[in-house]
Amino acid sequence: MRAALSRLRVVREPNLAMTARALEESAEGPRPLVPMAGGTDLFVYLNAGALPEQDYLDLWHLDELRGVIDTPGGVRIHALETFANLRRDPLVKRRYPALAEASSWVGARQIQNRATIAGNIANGSPAGDSLPVLLALDARIRLVRFSAPRDVGFDTFYTGYRTSVRHPSELIHSILLPWPLPGTRQYFRKVGTRLAQAISKVVIATTITVQKGRVTRARIALGSVAATVVRVPSAEDALLGEKLTPAAASEAARRLRESIHPIDDIRSTAAHRLRVAGRLVELAVADALR
Amino acid sequence: MVTRSPAVNRPRSIGRSVPKKDAAAKVTGAALYVDDLSPEGLLHGATVRSEIPAGRITRIEFDSAFDWSQVTIVDHRDIPGNNCIALIEYDQPALVENEIRHADEPILLLAHPDREKLQQALRAVKVHCEPLEAVLTMERSIACARLVHATDNVQKRFLIQRGDLEAGFARAHKIVEREYRVGHQEHLYIENNGVIARMEADGSLVVEGSLQCPYYVHKALMHLMGLPAEKVRVVQTVTGGGFGGKEEYPSMISAHAALLARKSGRPVKLIYDRMEDIAATTKRHPAIVRHRSGVTEEGELVAQDIDVIMDGGAYVTLSPVVLSRGILHAGGPYRCPNVRITGRAVATNTPPNGAFRGFGAPQTLFAAELHMDHLAESLGMDPLEIRRRNLYRLGDVTPTGQVLRESVSASECLEKAVKVSGYVKRRKALDAANRKALARPAGKGPRKVRGIGLSLVHHGAGFTGSGEVKLASIASLDLSPEGRPRALAASTEIGQGTVTIFSQMIGDALQVSHDLVEVAQPDTLRVPNSGPTVASRTCMVVGGLLSQAAADMRARLLEFDPRGWSDDRSFRKLALRHLKERGALRIDRQYQPPSGIEWNDDTYTGDAYGVFAWACNVIEVEVDLDTGDARPVEVVTANDVGKAIHPRLAEGQIEGGVSQALGWAILEELRWKDGRVWNQQLTNYIIPTSMDCPPMKVIVVENPYSGGPFGAKGVGELPMDGPAPAVVAAVRHATGQWMDEIPISPERLLEKLARLEEALT
Ligand SMILES: Cc1cc2nc3c(=O)[nH]c(=O)nc-3n(C[C@H](O)[C@H](O)[C@H](O)COP(=O)(O)OP(=O)(O)OC[C@H]3O[C@@H](n4cnc5c(N)ncnc54)[C@H](O)[C@@H]3O)c2cc1C
């Protein structure tokens, strides 16, 4: 442990309202509180000594931030829902199989028991496995501060590498996933460094809606190929109005390879990512055909 | 657990999987590892390391804003003896004096009572350097881009010659020449390196820690501290794995803790975290191996010209010995009348590479096995057939002129693994399935192909050549005050089962239960020098000495009272009576080479090893053509270990070794950035998880060795040798691509496959 744990303070307030107030009040002071959910990202940074000395605001006990709720506009997933829950939640499995699938690929069982969906979002790693799914499902993020909540589309949430529109005084409260349109096929595939406990080299989620044999709507979202999770509109457009054929798939893959600019890093190479990303789009289309 | 049944009274535990003696304490958390120990007045130590791979220190700056009053600071001037880690050559300093020769080289040591303050102190030191050109690759070293060792950057050379190479090539129908490469590998023992050192009132030094070879540390500390043997005591604590990574490195970390303890007058604990351990400690030697060999039309091997280059890193450490084992296995388990093997260990500005399970053999056997496949292909022959025609049989002669007199099981291992895996049928079936899969265009769903490959290897048991004779190991058996037989040996339990198998061997020889036997904690004050816990020698050599000692003890006790004993209780009664009436009973046994073994170090000829262990691996791999991922899906592994003293432990060694080898072949790649190890964490140095390890069928072959206890030949390293080339052969079978360099990363494999596809379209 390279961080000085004895100098860390963890604040715990009895309920969501007071937690939100503590966060908002501290945001203006010299030591803004940092929310802590499952701690699975934070602890890794602390162990490596990669964080400044700061105080934490515990969220784990706030049951107000738990629950997967059926609403008229879709399903609302609360911030503290863990990937262990999401991989087996009946509603998620039925309506958002791509999210259940993605959840099952996060770390391994032990991590899934602590890792939360809001933590994945707020941590903002471009390799976060749930993020392409949220993007492909047109998720909306509800942020709360003590004064007022606001909803933002997930496609406008990130502003750059690990930066977002979330103000330090705001908490992620929940995620709304609109009901999928009829005729929509969801696809998720993670290509990681190994079969478990792996960070993605490329991760893809797609939703492809087919009506009367033609694609009416497509979302192609990728992680680990840019500074943030990204959608690739040019590749989506290649499918619109088309029948799902290998030719359409390879055109989408071609456009995708032209639009993304991944990098070489500690886990993989730009060339590999580009190649694999193209193949994954083809696989997603082939999957939708079935 | 101990049942007083007649079975225990007539003990026969050899060959039975009795409960592992150290297991209960480990799984319940009762076992204390070095970081669990906190002696009074303990200070924590830390190491200031170089951030560049080559340079000269110009100035060391201590931040004046930090409170240094409680910090003990040690540099090279605080070394009372010689500033070197005594091993083979005395070239590696314990602390840099001026010239930095590799990244993360130790420069200064700090100690503080508070671990957190110590971390701050580390950040408050700045070492200013003038960088020198770094030689980071074997190619640059050979080209003498800059001299970093002697006059040619070569740390050690070897030559093995047999027969007439030119005449051999003249007989060849096909000559194949190829180059093979293997990369670094990190041991990734679960417990990082760590020790505690303290000075006693009488000026003697005590070091306790996680280590494989107490007497290596003992020797290094004597030189460093200028202390006589009796003033240095080294004790092994419960150790969480080694794999060779705690063979020589503990001498370094012990040296550092000792210097801090001496200067501060307090006990000092020095424990690396994972990042420091990966960045600074030893790795498996990367190697470049070139083969040029000839075969007749019938597939008979007639000439082998092999050149082995290993990256020794910045200091000599154990590289000569690793290279030696490497070249001694470089020809593979095949008879060939005309052979030349040259070997070089070259110096680079990287942390010294060192001992790692297999000790040079996995590198050269990888090349030898792949080359056999290339030769087979050049003849249009099946890889299985070419092996059948050339493998060593009883009476064959190795490149050093060693006649294989006994326990030769190349054929038996090969045939067993081939039979159990159904290799021949499976290969045909996969051929057909792959043709179908490859015909399927991209875009029509996942495309996966499968292949099956095999490899055959041998592994010399025990130390190389005259190593065992020079070591002249001693192991002892005495009676504890409670009347139990007690083994006194420097062999360490590092998870592999030393304590359990010693107890079994002694118990059987004395006709008592293995539970009655005690195995003393390795402590240089109490146990004799039975050599290092390496080279798969613990069971065969030290176990052998202890078995002999037990037989002697039995004779001595029967002489004392011819009525003898019938069970553990009557043994103890008799033993206690002996202690009372005749005093202590201790038997020392020293290593004697088996008769007829001869080795010449100057010409590198003779009996390189007393005997060889043998293994065949058949591995099926699935390749995802969309991602380049190659995943082993089934392993059949047949291993001749002479005798499995404890079958479950032997299988465990085999499964573990195979997994480690699969990691090396497919996943594990050390990445470098500016001459430093870049991937220092478990999240980016990728070893297989249980999800990545395929089901394994382990076949234990028992072809006994007359020189080993109960016929045992050793099992620790053998399973590391064969899987990598079998994986590459399987990938070749699946995809048509030769991956002559490992790891077969998806990046490399997909690149090759894509190039091929692009060329076709
Ligand atoms: C061994 C291991 C394996 C892993 N494998 C994967 C993997 O396969 N895929 C993957 O995507 N990730 C993986 N991770 C990363 C991590 O588990 C996930 O990102 C997880 O979702 C983080 O959730 P958490 O609740 O633990 O976050 P925390 O560590 O508690 O917090 C992470 C960040 O989010 C902020 N935060 C948390 N909750 C909120 C909130 N409600 N509002 C505002 N900010 C908040 C925190 O301030 C912090 O900055 C792995 C981690 C480990 C240790």
Side-chain angles (χ1 to χ4, degrees), chain B residues 83-104:
Chain B
N83 182 11
C84 74
I85 301 299
L87 198 58
I88 295 175
E89 299 211 356
Y90 293 11
D91 62 332
Q92 183 179 25
L95 292 170
V96 173
E97 293 181 12
N98 175 255
E99 187 179 336
I100 292 163
R101 291 169 179 274
H102 66 82
D104 292 293

Side-chain angles (χ1 to χ4, degrees), chain A residues 2 6-7 194 268 279, chain B residues 116 120 273 625 687 747:
Chain A
R2 293 189 181 184
S6 72
R7 270 185 286 278
R194 62 188 155 203
S268 191
R279 300 285 176 86
Chain B
E116 295 182 349
Q120 293 174 354
D273 67 10
L625 295 173
I687 62 163
E747 282 75 10

Side-chain angles (χ1 to χ4, degrees), chain A:
Chain A
M1 179 58 65
R2 293 189 181 184
L5 288 190
S6 72
R7 270 185 286 278
L8 303 184
R9 199 164 60 101
V10 179
V11 176
R12 174 185 281 231
E13 297 290 347
N15 55 39
L16 177 59
M18 290 173 78
T19 302
R21 182 159 68 191
L23 184 65
E24 191 165 341
E25 281 172 5
S26 80
E28 279 123 52
R31 262 174 102 106
L33 290 167
V34 177
M36 180 164 76
T40 60
D41 276 312
L42 288 174
F43 212 79
V44 172
Y45 304 138
L46 287 170
N47 186 48
L51 288 179
E53 265 180 33
Q54 50 189 14
D55 297 333
Y56 293 89
L57 181 63
D58 191 11
L59 307 179
W60 191 253
H61 59 291
L62 299 174
D63 284 341
E64 293 152 275
L65 292 181
R66 291 201 163 84
V68 176
I69 298 166
D70 205 341
T71 77
V75 166
R76 182 164 295 281
I77 296 172
H78 286 80
L80 292 181
E81 282 302 314
T82 61
F83 291 112
N85 281 348
L86 294 174
R87 73 181 284 185
R88 61 177 177 237
D89 185 275
L91 198 55
V92 172
K93 271 165 73 180
R94 197 168 69 246
R95 305 308 297 264
Y96 310 103
L99 181 58
E101 179 76 14
S103 303
S104 75
W105 283 94
V106 173
R109 296 278 176 164
Q110 302 91 321
I111 288 294
Q112 288 166 18
N113 285 335
R114 290 288 299 189
T116 66
I117 188 153
N120 207 226
I121 297 169
N123 183 54
S125 157
D129 284 320
S130 72
L131 309 182
V133 184
L134 300 182
L135 205 50
L137 289 172
D138 292 328
R140 292 185 69 73
I141 310 296
R142 174 158 299 171
L143 298 170
V144 291
R145 44 169 42 162
F146 184 60
S147 29
R150 61 170 175 142
D151 288 337
V152 293
F154 191 53
D155 55 348
T156 58
F157 185 77
Y158 294 112
T159 51
Y161 180 67
R162 287 175 180 247
T163 58
S164 75
V165 299
R166 184 182 76 84
H167 189 268
S169 64
E170 289 177 309
L171 283 175
I172 295 176
H173 170 275
S174 57
I175 298 110
L176 181 75
L177 298 180
W179 296 117
L181 297 173
T184 301
R185 179 89 184 174
Q186 302 173 20
Y187 179 80
F188 172 84
R189 173 87 187 265
K190 167 175 178 170
V191 176
T193 49
R194 62 188 155 203
L195 285 177
Q197 301 289 30
I199 308 289
S200 288
K201 294 178 179 179
V202 184
V203 51
I204 190 172
T206 62
T207 56
I208 298 176
T209 309
V210 178
Q211 273 157 357
K212 297 195 189 114
R214 306 236 168 219
V215 176
T216 55
R217 192 164 164 286
R219 298 278 185 269
I220 298 175
L222 289 155
S224 279
V225 298
T228 66
V229 58
V230 288
R231 260 179 64 186
V232 191
S234 65
E236 295 172 353
D237 289 347
L239 298 178
L240 281 185
E242 299 292 323
K243 286 186 184 162
L244 286 178
T245 59
S250 68
E251 175 59 17
R254 192 187 63 76
R255 290 208 201 166
L256 176 121
R257 283 193 295 265
E258 275 173 6
S259 333
I260 61 171
H261 306 282
I263 56 166
D264 288 345
D265 70 6
I266 200 163
R267 273 178 267 280
S268 191
T269 62
H272 187 69
R273 290 184 154 117
L274 210 53
R275 218 167 251 146
V276 171
R279 300 285 176 86
L280 294 184
V281 169
E282 292 177 328
L283 289 174
V285 173
D287 178 76
L289 254 173
R290 274 191 271 146

Side-chain angles (χ1 to χ4, degrees), chain B residues 195 209-214 217 234-236 239 246 250 254 492 494:
Chain B
V195 298
S210 179
L211 46 93
Q212 284 177 239
C213 311
V217 177
V234 179
V235 185
Q236 184 223 4
T239 297
K246 293 172 188 167
S254 299
T492 51
I494 53 175

Side-chain angles (χ1 to χ4, degrees), chain B residues 119-132:
Chain B
Q119 287 291 326
Q120 293 174 354
L122 264 181
R123 286 192 280 267
V125 184
K126 174 107 189 92
V127 180
H128 297 269
C129 306
E130 173 194 304
L132 290 168

